[in-house]
Short mmCIF file of all heavy atoms in Angstrom, two decimals:
data_model
loop_
_atom_site.label_atom_id
_atom_site.label_comp_id
_atom_site.label_asym_id
_atom_site.label_seq_id
_atom_site.Cartn_x
_atom_site.Cartn_y
_atom_site.Cartn_z
N HIS A 271 -2.72 125.70 -18.95
CA HIS A 271 -3.25 126.13 -20.25
C HIS A 271 -2.50 125.51 -21.43
O HIS A 271 -3.03 125.41 -22.52
CB HIS A 271 -3.20 127.66 -20.37
CG HIS A 271 -3.96 128.33 -19.28
ND1 HIS A 271 -5.33 128.22 -19.18
CD2 HIS A 271 -3.55 129.06 -18.23
CE1 HIS A 271 -5.72 128.88 -18.11
NE2 HIS A 271 -4.67 129.40 -17.52
N ILE A 272 -1.25 125.14 -21.16
CA ILE A 272 -0.46 124.52 -22.23
C ILE A 272 -0.80 123.04 -22.33
O ILE A 272 -0.86 122.47 -23.41
CB ILE A 272 1.05 124.69 -21.93
CG1 ILE A 272 1.43 126.17 -21.89
CG2 ILE A 272 1.89 123.93 -22.94
CD1 ILE A 272 2.90 126.44 -21.61
N GLN A 275 -6.59 121.21 -22.70
CA GLN A 275 -7.59 122.09 -23.30
C GLN A 275 -8.81 121.28 -23.66
O GLN A 275 -8.70 120.11 -24.05
CB GLN A 275 -7.03 122.73 -24.58
CG GLN A 275 -5.97 123.79 -24.35
CD GLN A 275 -6.53 125.12 -23.87
OE1 GLN A 275 -7.66 125.47 -24.20
NE2 GLN A 275 -5.74 125.86 -23.09
N PHE A 277 -13.34 121.77 -24.96
CA PHE A 277 -14.54 122.58 -25.12
C PHE A 277 -15.58 122.09 -24.10
O PHE A 277 -15.63 120.89 -23.80
CB PHE A 277 -15.12 122.44 -26.53
CG PHE A 277 -14.30 123.13 -27.59
CD1 PHE A 277 -13.53 122.41 -28.49
CD2 PHE A 277 -14.29 124.53 -27.67
CE1 PHE A 277 -12.78 123.05 -29.47
CE2 PHE A 277 -13.53 125.18 -28.65
CZ PHE A 277 -12.79 124.43 -29.54
N ARG A 355 -16.83 115.09 -37.45
CA ARG A 355 -17.89 115.93 -38.03
C ARG A 355 -17.62 116.13 -39.51
O ARG A 355 -16.48 116.38 -39.89
CB ARG A 355 -17.94 117.30 -37.33
CG ARG A 355 -19.14 117.45 -36.41
CD ARG A 355 -19.29 118.86 -35.89
NE ARG A 355 -18.32 119.15 -34.85
CZ ARG A 355 -17.34 120.03 -34.97
NH1 ARG A 355 -17.16 120.71 -36.07
NH2 ARG A 355 -16.52 120.23 -33.97
N ASP A 356 -18.62 116.10 -40.32
CA ASP A 356 -18.53 116.19 -41.79
C ASP A 356 -17.18 115.73 -42.36
O ASP A 356 -16.39 116.53 -42.82
CB ASP A 356 -18.85 117.60 -42.37
CG ASP A 356 -18.96 118.72 -41.35
OD1 ASP A 356 -20.01 118.82 -40.74
OD2 ASP A 356 -17.97 119.45 -41.17
N TYR A 360 -11.93 116.83 -35.46
CA TYR A 360 -11.55 118.10 -34.84
C TYR A 360 -11.03 117.86 -33.43
O TYR A 360 -11.66 117.11 -32.66
CB TYR A 360 -12.76 119.04 -34.81
CG TYR A 360 -13.18 119.44 -36.20
CD1 TYR A 360 -14.02 118.62 -36.95
CD2 TYR A 360 -12.67 120.59 -36.80
CE1 TYR A 360 -14.37 118.94 -38.25
CE2 TYR A 360 -13.02 120.93 -38.09
CZ TYR A 360 -13.86 120.10 -38.81
OH TYR A 360 -14.19 120.42 -40.10
N SER A 373 0.85 121.47 -29.43
CA SER A 373 0.34 122.31 -28.37
C SER A 373 -1.17 122.13 -28.28
O SER A 373 -1.89 122.42 -29.23
CB SER A 373 0.67 123.78 -28.65
OG SER A 373 -0.11 124.61 -27.81
N ASN A 375 -3.02 123.91 -26.65
CA ASN A 375 -3.58 125.25 -26.70
C ASN A 375 -3.72 125.73 -28.14
O ASN A 375 -4.77 126.21 -28.55
CB ASN A 375 -2.68 126.20 -25.91
CG ASN A 375 -3.30 127.57 -25.77
OD1 ASN A 375 -3.48 128.28 -26.76
ND2 ASN A 375 -3.65 127.97 -24.55
N TRP A 376 -2.67 125.59 -28.93
CA TRP A 376 -2.71 126.09 -30.31
C TRP A 376 -3.61 125.21 -31.19
O TRP A 376 -4.39 125.71 -32.00
CB TRP A 376 -1.29 126.16 -30.91
CG TRP A 376 -1.29 126.46 -32.37
CD1 TRP A 376 -0.95 125.61 -33.38
CD2 TRP A 376 -1.67 127.69 -33.00
NE1 TRP A 376 -1.09 126.24 -34.58
CE2 TRP A 376 -1.54 127.52 -34.38
CE3 TRP A 376 -2.13 128.93 -32.51
CZ2 TRP A 376 -1.84 128.52 -35.30
CZ3 TRP A 376 -2.43 129.94 -33.42
CH2 TRP A 376 -2.28 129.73 -34.80
N LYS A 378 -6.15 123.40 -30.43
CA LYS A 378 -7.55 123.27 -30.01
C LYS A 378 -8.51 123.70 -31.13
O LYS A 378 -8.35 124.77 -31.71
CB LYS A 378 -7.78 124.15 -28.79
CG LYS A 378 -9.21 124.11 -28.26
CD LYS A 378 -9.36 125.04 -27.08
CE LYS A 378 -10.76 124.93 -26.49
NZ LYS A 378 -10.92 125.82 -25.33
N GLY A 379 -9.48 122.83 -31.42
CA GLY A 379 -10.52 123.17 -32.40
C GLY A 379 -10.11 122.92 -33.84
O GLY A 379 -10.93 123.03 -34.75
N MET A 380 -8.83 122.58 -34.09
CA MET A 380 -8.39 122.41 -35.47
C MET A 380 -8.80 121.06 -36.04
O MET A 380 -8.90 120.07 -35.33
CB MET A 380 -6.87 122.55 -35.56
CG MET A 380 -6.40 123.97 -35.43
SD MET A 380 -4.66 124.07 -35.84
CE MET A 380 -4.39 125.80 -35.45
N SER A 381 -8.97 121.04 -37.37
CA SER A 381 -9.27 119.79 -38.07
C SER A 381 -7.98 119.00 -38.27
O SER A 381 -6.87 119.54 -38.13
CB SER A 381 -9.88 120.10 -39.43
OG SER A 381 -8.92 120.75 -40.25
N GLU A 384 -5.84 120.81 -40.75
CA GLU A 384 -5.19 122.02 -40.23
C GLU A 384 -4.01 121.66 -39.33
O GLU A 384 -2.96 122.29 -39.37
CB GLU A 384 -6.18 122.86 -39.42
CG GLU A 384 -7.16 123.65 -40.24
CD GLU A 384 -8.15 124.38 -39.34
OE1 GLU A 384 -9.01 123.70 -38.74
OE2 GLU A 384 -8.03 125.61 -39.21
N ALA A 387 -1.00 120.72 -41.33
CA ALA A 387 -0.53 121.66 -42.35
C ALA A 387 0.98 121.91 -42.29
O ALA A 387 1.62 122.04 -43.34
CB ALA A 387 -1.30 122.98 -42.26
N PRO A 388 1.62 121.98 -41.08
CA PRO A 388 3.07 122.23 -41.07
C PRO A 388 3.92 121.05 -41.52
O PRO A 388 5.10 121.21 -41.78
CB PRO A 388 3.37 122.54 -39.59
CG PRO A 388 2.05 122.81 -38.95
CD PRO A 388 1.05 122.01 -39.72
N TYR A 432 5.93 124.77 -28.98
CA TYR A 432 6.01 126.12 -29.51
C TYR A 432 6.20 127.15 -28.39
O TYR A 432 6.86 128.17 -28.57
CB TYR A 432 4.71 126.46 -30.26
CG TYR A 432 4.49 125.64 -31.49
CD1 TYR A 432 3.33 124.90 -31.66
CD2 TYR A 432 5.46 125.60 -32.50
CE1 TYR A 432 3.11 124.15 -32.80
CE2 TYR A 432 5.26 124.84 -33.64
CZ TYR A 432 4.08 124.13 -33.79
OH TYR A 432 3.88 123.38 -34.90
N GLU A 433 5.63 126.84 -27.23
CA GLU A 433 5.63 127.79 -26.11
C GLU A 433 7.04 128.10 -25.61
O GLU A 433 7.25 129.14 -24.99
CB GLU A 433 4.79 127.24 -24.95
CG GLU A 433 3.28 127.25 -25.20
CD GLU A 433 2.75 126.02 -25.95
OE1 GLU A 433 3.58 125.25 -26.50
OE2 GLU A 433 1.53 125.83 -25.98
N THR A 434 7.98 127.18 -25.84
CA THR A 434 9.34 127.40 -25.31
C THR A 434 10.39 127.39 -26.43
O THR A 434 11.56 127.13 -26.18
CB THR A 434 9.71 126.31 -24.28
OG1 THR A 434 9.44 125.03 -24.87
CG2 THR A 434 8.91 126.45 -23.01
N MET A 435 9.95 127.69 -27.62
CA MET A 435 10.85 127.68 -28.77
C MET A 435 12.06 128.61 -28.58
O MET A 435 13.15 128.32 -29.06
CB MET A 435 10.07 128.19 -29.97
CG MET A 435 10.33 127.41 -31.20
SD MET A 435 9.06 127.82 -32.39
CE MET A 435 9.55 126.73 -33.69
N ASP A 436 11.83 129.73 -27.88
CA ASP A 436 12.93 130.68 -27.65
C ASP A 436 14.04 130.05 -26.81
O ASP A 436 15.19 130.46 -26.89
CB ASP A 436 12.41 131.96 -26.99
CG ASP A 436 11.55 131.68 -25.75
OD1 ASP A 436 10.99 130.56 -25.66
OD2 ASP A 436 11.44 132.56 -24.89
N VAL A 437 13.68 129.03 -26.00
CA VAL A 437 14.66 128.40 -25.14
C VAL A 437 15.40 127.27 -25.85
O VAL A 437 16.63 127.25 -25.93
CB VAL A 437 13.99 127.85 -23.85
CG1 VAL A 437 15.04 127.24 -22.93
CG2 VAL A 437 13.20 128.95 -23.14
N LYS B 137 -20.49 128.28 -37.41
CA LYS B 137 -19.59 127.57 -38.30
C LYS B 137 -20.27 126.50 -39.18
O LYS B 137 -20.10 126.47 -40.39
CB LYS B 137 -18.57 126.89 -37.36
CG LYS B 137 -17.44 126.23 -37.99
CD LYS B 137 -16.51 125.74 -36.88
CE LYS B 137 -15.55 124.79 -37.55
NZ LYS B 137 -14.51 124.30 -36.70
N GLU B 138 -21.04 125.62 -38.52
CA GLU B 138 -21.65 124.51 -39.25
C GLU B 138 -22.63 125.02 -40.31
O GLU B 138 -22.71 124.50 -41.42
CB GLU B 138 -22.36 123.54 -38.29
CG GLU B 138 -21.42 122.83 -37.33
CD GLU B 138 -20.18 122.27 -38.02
OE1 GLU B 138 -20.32 121.64 -39.08
OE2 GLU B 138 -19.07 122.50 -37.50
N LYS B 141 -20.80 126.44 -43.26
CA LYS B 141 -20.27 125.38 -44.11
C LYS B 141 -21.39 124.69 -44.89
O LYS B 141 -21.21 124.32 -46.04
CB LYS B 141 -19.48 124.37 -43.26
CG LYS B 141 -18.14 124.93 -42.86
CD LYS B 141 -17.06 123.94 -42.54
CE LYS B 141 -17.38 122.70 -41.84
NZ LYS B 141 -16.29 122.09 -41.12
N LEU B 145 -21.44 124.26 -48.83
CA LEU B 145 -21.47 122.92 -49.42
C LEU B 145 -22.69 122.70 -50.31
O LEU B 145 -22.67 121.85 -51.19
CB LEU B 145 -21.46 121.86 -48.30
CG LEU B 145 -20.11 121.60 -47.65
CD1 LEU B 145 -20.28 120.77 -46.38
CD2 LEU B 145 -19.17 120.88 -48.60
N GLU B 171 -12.08 124.78 -45.59
CA GLU B 171 -12.39 123.57 -44.83
C GLU B 171 -13.52 122.78 -45.49
O GLU B 171 -13.54 121.56 -45.46
CB GLU B 171 -12.83 124.00 -43.42
CG GLU B 171 -12.38 123.06 -42.34
CD GLU B 171 -12.80 123.59 -40.98
OE1 GLU B 171 -12.12 124.51 -40.48
OE2 GLU B 171 -13.81 123.11 -40.44
N TYR B 192 -1.07 135.35 -32.61
CA TYR B 192 -1.39 134.70 -31.33
C TYR B 192 -0.09 134.35 -30.64
O TYR B 192 0.71 133.56 -31.16
CB TYR B 192 -2.23 133.44 -31.59
CG TYR B 192 -2.72 132.74 -30.36
CD1 TYR B 192 -3.69 133.31 -29.54
CD2 TYR B 192 -2.24 131.47 -30.01
CE1 TYR B 192 -4.17 132.66 -28.41
CE2 TYR B 192 -2.72 130.81 -28.88
CZ TYR B 192 -3.68 131.41 -28.09
OH TYR B 192 -4.15 130.76 -26.97
N MET B 194 2.44 132.60 -28.38
CA MET B 194 2.53 131.28 -27.75
C MET B 194 3.15 131.36 -26.35
O MET B 194 3.31 130.34 -25.68
CB MET B 194 3.32 130.31 -28.63
CG MET B 194 2.61 129.93 -29.93
SD MET B 194 0.94 129.23 -29.71
CE MET B 194 1.34 127.67 -28.92
N LYS B 195 3.51 132.57 -25.91
CA LYS B 195 4.00 132.73 -24.53
C LYS B 195 2.83 133.02 -23.59
O LYS B 195 2.74 132.45 -22.51
CB LYS B 195 5.00 133.88 -24.45
CG LYS B 195 6.41 133.49 -24.80
CD LYS B 195 7.07 132.72 -23.66
CE LYS B 195 8.39 132.13 -24.13
NZ LYS B 195 8.82 130.96 -23.38
N PHE B 197 -0.60 133.58 -24.78
CA PHE B 197 -1.90 133.20 -25.36
C PHE B 197 -2.86 134.38 -25.52
O PHE B 197 -4.07 134.25 -25.30
CB PHE B 197 -2.54 132.06 -24.55
CG PHE B 197 -1.62 130.88 -24.36
CD1 PHE B 197 -1.32 130.40 -23.10
CD2 PHE B 197 -1.03 130.27 -25.46
CE1 PHE B 197 -0.45 129.32 -22.93
CE2 PHE B 197 -0.18 129.19 -25.31
CZ PHE B 197 0.11 128.72 -24.04
N PHE B 223 0.52 129.80 -40.22
CA PHE B 223 -0.68 129.04 -39.84
C PHE B 223 -1.64 129.87 -39.03
O PHE B 223 -1.24 130.61 -38.13
CB PHE B 223 -0.27 127.77 -39.09
CG PHE B 223 0.73 126.97 -39.87
CD1 PHE B 223 2.06 126.91 -39.47
CD2 PHE B 223 0.35 126.36 -41.05
CE1 PHE B 223 2.99 126.22 -40.22
CE2 PHE B 223 1.28 125.65 -41.82
CZ PHE B 223 2.60 125.58 -41.40
N TYR B 224 -2.94 129.72 -39.37
CA TYR B 224 -3.98 130.53 -38.75
C TYR B 224 -4.90 129.63 -37.93
O TYR B 224 -5.24 128.53 -38.37
CB TYR B 224 -4.78 131.24 -39.84
CG TYR B 224 -5.85 132.17 -39.30
CD1 TYR B 224 -5.52 133.47 -38.90
CD2 TYR B 224 -7.17 131.74 -39.15
CE1 TYR B 224 -6.48 134.32 -38.39
CE2 TYR B 224 -8.14 132.59 -38.65
CZ TYR B 224 -7.79 133.87 -38.26
OH TYR B 224 -8.74 134.71 -37.74
N SER B 225 -5.31 130.09 -36.75
CA SER B 225 -6.27 129.33 -35.95
C SER B 225 -7.60 130.07 -35.90
O SER B 225 -7.66 131.22 -35.48
CB SER B 225 -5.76 129.12 -34.53
OG SER B 225 -6.84 128.76 -33.69
N ILE B 226 -8.66 129.37 -36.32
CA ILE B 226 -10.00 129.97 -36.27
C ILE B 226 -10.40 130.20 -34.81
O ILE B 226 -11.01 131.20 -34.47
CB ILE B 226 -11.03 129.04 -36.97
CG1 ILE B 226 -10.61 128.81 -38.43
CG2 ILE B 226 -12.42 129.64 -36.91
CD1 ILE B 226 -11.53 127.86 -39.19
N VAL B 227 -10.04 129.26 -33.95
CA VAL B 227 -10.41 129.37 -32.53
C VAL B 227 -9.66 130.53 -31.87
O VAL B 227 -10.24 131.31 -31.11
CB VAL B 227 -10.14 128.04 -31.78
CG1 VAL B 227 -10.31 128.19 -30.28
CG2 VAL B 227 -11.06 126.94 -32.32
N ARG B 228 -8.35 130.66 -32.16
CA ARG B 228 -7.53 131.69 -31.51
C ARG B 228 -7.58 133.02 -32.25
O ARG B 228 -7.04 134.02 -31.79
CB ARG B 228 -6.08 131.22 -31.40
CG ARG B 228 -5.88 129.91 -30.64
CD ARG B 228 -6.51 129.98 -29.28
NE ARG B 228 -6.30 128.75 -28.49
CZ ARG B 228 -6.97 128.49 -27.39
NH1 ARG B 228 -7.89 129.32 -26.94
NH2 ARG B 228 -6.74 127.38 -26.71
N GLY B 230 -6.00 134.21 -34.86
CA GLY B 230 -4.74 134.84 -35.19
C GLY B 230 -3.77 133.85 -35.82
O GLY B 230 -4.00 132.64 -35.80
N TYR B 231 -2.68 134.38 -36.38
CA TYR B 231 -1.61 133.56 -36.90
C TYR B 231 -0.70 133.16 -35.75
O TYR B 231 -0.57 133.89 -34.76
CB TYR B 231 -0.80 134.33 -37.95
CG TYR B 231 -1.58 134.51 -39.23
CD1 TYR B 231 -2.43 135.60 -39.41
CD2 TYR B 231 -1.49 133.56 -40.24
CE1 TYR B 231 -3.17 135.74 -40.58
CE2 TYR B 231 -2.22 133.70 -41.41
CZ TYR B 231 -3.07 134.78 -41.57
OH TYR B 231 -3.80 134.91 -42.71
N ILE B 232 -0.05 132.01 -35.89
CA ILE B 232 0.80 131.54 -34.79
C ILE B 232 2.01 132.47 -34.64
O ILE B 232 2.61 132.89 -35.64
CB ILE B 232 1.24 130.07 -35.01
CG1 ILE B 232 1.92 129.52 -33.75
CG2 ILE B 232 2.14 129.92 -36.23
CD1 ILE B 232 2.03 128.01 -33.72
N TYR B 234 5.64 132.40 -33.06
CA TYR B 234 6.68 131.60 -32.42
C TYR B 234 7.60 132.51 -31.63
O TYR B 234 8.22 133.41 -32.22
CB TYR B 234 7.52 130.87 -33.47
CG TYR B 234 6.77 130.03 -34.47
CD1 TYR B 234 6.72 130.39 -35.83
CD2 TYR B 234 6.13 128.85 -34.09
CE1 TYR B 234 6.06 129.60 -36.77
CE2 TYR B 234 5.47 128.07 -35.03
CZ TYR B 234 5.44 128.45 -36.37
OH TYR B 234 4.79 127.67 -37.29
N PRO B 235 7.75 132.28 -30.33
CA PRO B 235 8.64 133.15 -29.55
C PRO B 235 10.11 132.94 -29.90
O PRO B 235 10.53 131.82 -30.17
CB PRO B 235 8.38 132.72 -28.10
CG PRO B 235 7.73 131.39 -28.17
CD PRO B 235 7.08 131.26 -29.51
N PHE B 236 10.88 134.01 -29.93
CA PHE B 236 12.33 133.88 -30.12
C PHE B 236 13.02 134.98 -29.33
O PHE B 236 12.38 135.96 -28.92
CB PHE B 236 12.72 133.94 -31.60
CG PHE B 236 12.56 135.32 -32.23
CD1 PHE B 236 13.65 136.19 -32.34
CD2 PHE B 236 11.33 135.74 -32.68
CE1 PHE B 236 13.51 137.45 -32.91
CE2 PHE B 236 11.17 137.00 -33.25
CZ PHE B 236 12.26 137.86 -33.36
N ILE B 237 14.31 134.79 -29.08
CA ILE B 237 15.08 135.80 -28.35
C ILE B 237 15.90 136.57 -29.38
O ILE B 237 16.73 135.99 -30.07
CB ILE B 237 15.98 135.15 -27.28
CG1 ILE B 237 15.07 134.44 -26.27
CG2 ILE B 237 16.86 136.19 -26.59
CD1 ILE B 237 15.78 133.61 -25.24
#
Side-chain angles (χ1 to χ4, degrees):
Chain A
H271 302 294
I272 298 180
Q275 288 284 331
F277 288 107
R355 253 188 284 114
D356 11 280
Y360 294 84
S373 165
N375 187 295
W376 172 250
K378 179 182 184 179
M380 286 190 185
S381 65
E384 283 177 288
Y432 295 124
E433 288 86 347
T434 51
M435 223 165 182
D436 51 336
V437 182
Chain B
K137 187 175 166 174
E138 295 314 313
K141 285 205 322 204
L145 283 168
E171 217 178 281
Y192 184 69
M194 291 304 293
K195 275 285 170 204
F197 308 124
F223 307 108
Y224 183 83
S225 162
I226 301 177
V227 171
R228 302 306 182 193
Y231 288 88
I232 190 164
Y234 306 113
F236 71 96
I237 298 173

